[in-house]
Amino acid sequence: MWANSLVVLLPLVVYVLARPSPDCEHKVKEQLGAPPRGWTIHGPAPADHSIQLRIALPQPNFGVLEEHLYAVSDPVHERYGQHLSKEEVEELVAPHPESVDAVTEWLASHGIQEESIGRSPAGDWFNIRVPVSVAEEMLNTKYHVWQHADGDFLVRTTAYSLPAVVFDHVELIQPTTMFGRFKALKSTIHSVHKANAPIPSANSPPIVDAATGVTVDASCNSTITVTCLKELYNAVGVTPSAHVGNSVGITGYLEQFANRADLQAFFEDQVPAAAAAKSTFKFISVNGGLDSQNASDAGVEANLDTQFAFGLTFPAASTFYSTAGEPPFIPDIGTPTDTNEPYAQWLDFVLSHPSPPLVISTSYGDDEQTVPESFAKRACAGFAQLGARGVTLTASSGDGGVGDGDPDPATQQCITNDGTNRTAFIPGFPASCPFITAVGGTFLVPETAVPFSGGGFSNFFARPSYQDAAVEGFLNKLPKGTFAGLFNPNGRAIPDVSAQSVNFRVFVAGEPNLVAGTSASSPAFAGFIGLLNDGRLKKGLPPLGFVNPLLYSKAASGFNDITTGNNPGCGTEGFNATKGWDAVTGLGTPNFGKLLKLVT
């Protein structure tokens, strides 16, 4: 068994243990060329403002973990499906003891003792809480309160340095240069409006999709329900089991609360068996996340995600994670609690658990360029750890087409944040992480690409090999010079797949609403992954885990190819949906019946 020889696979690296002192020479670790667009200095940061610093130690063997991840995720590899344990993953991402000692001594030199240091499960992140005055001394920098043109405030700096003796033992420290806005790390919901109390009856004959051969109720062109999704994606009559160990999870941020009463109303409306069973979800608080069940606090995003993901997969075990965090700083109300990029807190938490849900969806995202590249890559490495353990991660591709997250192409600025002020397409994160399955959007029956479907190419992550054939085929079909200089043709391409994204019937505060956005596509697609896992588990097979290599190879024929529509933005018409993979709908939408045969 490979695990027994794990130590043989790890490269031997020897560091000389350095003993830092607080007054030794500093070297610049990270520096912004210019303040990000829209941000100006409001004033100096209060010296006693409390800030939680997250210190990433290098993961010298991450490349080995990545090799294992691709081996267990490649359907033609002999180790396909042999996912790693929590302990095996932690061994592969653990920092060298020399790094741990060097950083611990550096912190001690600033009065931060062992008992005040929080550590991630693998010990590759240190967490400390210090006043701004101490952070400034440690990092040889100056923090300011920055204000965005839209009114948000952050405590950040544009550069920080580290003592030379710990420089190579630290990969990054945040919050420092991260100007991603919590409001920009938003639900990718595109629109919400009230729905009719009963599901409307379309006084028309059913729609027969000539391309897929499926028959869909005519009402699905105006209202999407669980039944519509099962009809569209060839899963009518599928009966999941409650006894095979299947599980589905939803992440919630920005004080978005999933309401149990609304879930019951949704079940009564669309999943009678779940209503009869009084099915509900397990709530897990992350970093102090709350679980308000007041009807007035019900979140459209949280309700959308839980209702459709759990409605599609009932009776699989369901979990809702509530991760604390909201706009972190209002300078006129004293010293508040500062916060970080929330994916980090959630990753620390979920990686500490031995049995996370087998598929987890997130419908939140940010412009890739608002997240420092070092942090985006480190968070992406965390997602890879979950994939290696057999977890499928899905994320919305965004609602700005090829643009900057603004759903109105007319008001998108699409200006780079690196000080050069170039016009460019703006990909989203975490969808751009190659270890996540990015889900774009479609609408109508027969399906066409929805104009707001986020798509394009990462500027941080290189195109993974599993995408090469599909994406090169798409790029070769583009007329020469199309969008020259506006995107990185060698970057990781998004989305991977798509699903319906308009007029989802969601209950909020007891009332039905119609919701649109790729925030609907991600939990819907996650639901079908959950159904595929159910089929595999019934046959004694392992869960799908990191699915992208499978989707682009053996399972590629299990998708409905979407060939119409485009995703305008940045003053352009964006990319066109076309035969094969495209940067609007990816490989297309799922045909569950075909996929089940391909994966079981």
Side-chain angles (χ1 to χ4, degrees), residues 112-152:
I112 302 163
Q113 301 305 314
E114 177 67 31
E115 60 271 17
S116 300
I117 303 172
R119 300 175 189 265
S120 63
D124 53 336
W125 284 96
F126 282 14
N127 302 309
I128 60 171
R129 182 168 291 282
V130 295
V132 160
S133 58
V134 174
E136 290 178 336
E137 177 185 337
M138 292 172 58
L139 305 179
N140 193 32
T141 191
K142 179 67 178 174
Y143 277 86
H144 289 88
V145 178
W146 292 79
Q147 182 175 11
H148 193 268
D150 290 342
D152 287 351

Side-chain angles (χ1 to χ4, degrees), residues 117-485:
I117 303 172
R119 300 175 189 265
S120 63
D124 53 336
W125 284 96
F126 282 14
N127 302 309
I128 60 171
R129 182 168 291 282
V130 295
V132 160
S133 58
V134 174
E136 290 178 336
E137 177 185 337
M138 292 172 58
L139 305 179
N140 193 32
T141 191
K142 179 67 178 174
Y143 277 86
H144 289 88
V145 178
W146 292 79
Q147 182 175 11
H148 193 268
D150 290 342
D152 287 351
F153 292 90
L154 287 174
V155 175
R156 296 292 187 266
T157 182
T158 56
Y160 67 96
S161 302
L162 292 172
V165 290
V166 295
F167 190 89
D168 291 331
H169 296 291
V170 172
E171 189 170 301
L172 64 102
I173 298 179
Q174 292 293 349
T176 48
T177 58
M178 181 185 297
F179 281 78
R181 300 165 58 209
F182 248 39
K183 286 184 179 178
L185 185 70
K186 62 183 181 298
S187 149
T188 50
I189 281 179
H190 185 263
S191 64
V192 180
H193 57 276
K194 295 294 182 183
N196 295 325
I199 297 175
S201 174
N203 296 317
S204 303
I207 302 169
V208 178
D209 187 332
T212 64
V214 300
T215 299
V216 182
D217 191 90
S219 67
C220 299
N221 253 330
S222 59
T223 302
I224 292 295
T225 62
V226 168
T227 298
C228 286
L229 291 174
K230 287 188 173 181
E231 289 178 350
L232 269 168
Y233 300 142
N234 193 19
V236 174
V238 174
T239 305
S241 172
H243 308 294
V244 292
N246 199 14
S247 55
V248 180
I250 292 294
T251 60
Y253 301 100
L254 303 184
E255 308 301 331
Q256 276 273 333
F257 304 116
N259 188 274
R260 293 180 181 83
D262 286 338
L263 181 64
Q264 293 306 311
F266 175 85
F267 284 159
E268 290 171 6
D269 190 63
Q270 300 184 36
V271 193
K278 299 189 183 305
S279 178
T280 191
F281 54 82
K282 178 182 180 181
F283 170 82
I284 295 182
S285 171
V286 180
N287 198 38
L290 302 178
D291 185 26
S292 173
Q293 290 301 306
N294 294 329
S296 60
D297 290 337
V300 175
E301 179 63 78
N303 279 3
L304 163 66
D305 293 354
T306 54
Q307 288 171 19
F308 274 88
F310 302 159
L312 282 164
T313 56
F314 169 80
S318 53
T319 299
F320 177 70
Y321 296 94
S322 175
T323 302
E326 55 186 346
F329 189 71
I330 304 174
D332 297 330
I333 62 170
T335 301
T337 299
D338 208 339
T339 53
N340 290 298
E341 164 70 56
Y343 294 119
Q345 280 97 357
W346 181 79
L347 276 167
D348 276 359
F349 184 90
V350 76
L351 287 169
S352 72
H353 284 245
S355 301
L358 299 180
V359 57
I360 303 174
S361 171
T362 185
S363 292
Y364 300 77
D366 207 349
D367 294 347
E368 185 183 67
Q369 67 173 0
T370 68
V371 181
E373 183 173 355
S374 60
F375 188 91
K377 289 185 173 179
R378 188 56 182 257
C380 188
F383 298 136
Q385 293 177 51
L386 285 170
R389 290 173 54 181
V391 177
T392 304
L393 298 171
T394 70
S396 305
S397 70
D399 281 0
V402 295
D404 59 6
D406 187 332
D408 183 356
T411 56
Q412 291 178 353
Q413 296 191 29
C414 303
I415 303 298
T416 59
N417 237 353
D418 58 5
T420 63
N421 294 328
R422 294 178 294 108
T423 299
F425 293 166
I426 308 294
F429 180 82
S432 64
C433 170
F435 306 122
I436 277 181
T437 302
V439 187
T442 62
F443 72 137
L444 301 177
V445 185
E447 291 186 276
T448 187
V450 74
F452 57 72
S453 182
F457 299 81
S458 173
N459 293 309
F460 289 173
F461 301 99
R463 186 170 69 226
S465 60
Y466 62 75
Q467 285 193 314
D468 279 345
V471 174
E472 286 176 3
F474 172 75
L475 293 173
N476 288 337
K477 287 184 286 188
L478 285 179
K480 188 174 182 179
T482 302
F483 308 138

